[in-house]
Amino acid sequence: MTTRSRNRITKLILALAMASAIAAPAVTLPQAAIAADSQIDKMRAKIAAFIGDKMEKLGGSRIVYKVDGDGMRESAVTDLRDEVYKTLRESKIAFSGLAIRDGGVEVKIADAKGREELKRKLASAAEGLPSHALAVTDGGDGLLKLKPTDAALAAGLHDLVDDSIAMIEQRLKDAGINLASVQPDGTDRIRIFLPGMMEPERVTAIFATKVKVGFRLVDLSMPAEQAQSGTPPAGSEVLLGFKDKRPYLVARDSALDGDDISYAGPAMSSGTNEPIVSFRFNGRGTRRFAHITEENIGKPFTIVLDGKVISAPVIREPITGGSGQISGNFTLEEANSVAMMVRAGALPGHLGLVDQQVVQPAAKP
């Protein structure tokens, strides 16, 4: 379920339709994906029934979270603007006034052929997705207004809830909490049942602090040792390595962060058979990482986790595929721990705690 949905949100808002369109075609999905979704739904239903029975007998904790739907919608529009800008630049279409306005994107293209070219390119990028996902209207005098439809945003929110549930399940598992039911509750809420656990704050603490993950460029203006003993340049700071404890002079601002990562997990390097961390970016992260690597070939950058440098590779070539590896002479346990923390920093939806309560066991007859 989450593999399909992870890459669908950004693409979904790029499918093209004119504002006058009335029909809403159904999404065609691979039968294998549909079958996988069905199996996961059935499994979760069985778990929910089992957990419900345990809650009645043992009592436990009930926790409700709300995903940030407003943030999701803002991100969808920002991604749309970035995609429009990228398409215009790559296609060398003259434009002006590209801006986010009234929940959508506006851009002025004087040339009629340029406007049609932009529509065609956006439609091509979203091939196979529903044609009602984006409304495009002509504002006159070369002005185009592009806006995700309510149906597209609703689909994005549904996928965001799905991804958040998968991440919650993973983080509970990583914390050693295996007896739990995580289910959607309405359109934007998630309900967690934990039988036998009378301390819900133990679970909410897992999600209270966001792990800080950052991809930062290395400052080569002076040796890190010199900066450590003196004053680092403005906009940079000295951080220590995760394992080697050596100093690194890095930019204070991250070029990418945990919100740009859609997946991270331990793996084995095909070349050296050493434990590594494999990761994937979401659509926005893929574009940003491609731009960063294109602009900084031959330069080192660091992957920083909670203020420690866990890897400092040199950019050898543009990385446009949206995935990568983190190596750092890890043991398998360390690779798993780092992957878990990277996933924690990528928790989607910016969960907000709505309610937590202790449920007492049913009285015995």
Side-chain angles (χ1 to χ4, degrees), residues 219 222-233 236-241 244-250:
D219 186 339
M222 69 167 62
E225 292 78 8
Q226 180 182 342
Q228 186 180 31
S229 60
T231 302
S236 297
E237 64 179 333
V238 176
L239 298 178
L240 298 180
D244 58 19
K245 309 301 180 185
R246 60 169 287 196
Y248 293 85
L249 182 61
V250 302

Side-chain angles (χ1 to χ4, degrees), residues 34-62:
I34 295 174
D37 282 0
S38 177
Q39 289 299 319
I40 292 175
D41 289 341
K42 289 179 180 178
M43 179 183 68
R44 283 191 170 141
K46 289 181 179 180
I47 292 174
F50 175 78
I51 294 296
D53 180 64
K54 290 293 183 182
M55 284 286 289
E56 184 175 354
K57 294 177 180 178
L58 303 175
S61 296
R62 176 183 179 272

Side-chain angles (χ1 to χ4, degrees), residues 40 54 84 95 122 201 206 215 236 253 264 289 312 314 336 344 349 361:
I40 292 175
K54 290 293 183 182
V84 169
F95 68 95
L122 291 178
E201 59 274 7
I206 296 173
F215 292 74
S236 297
D253 295 331
F289 198 51
V314 174
N336 187 64

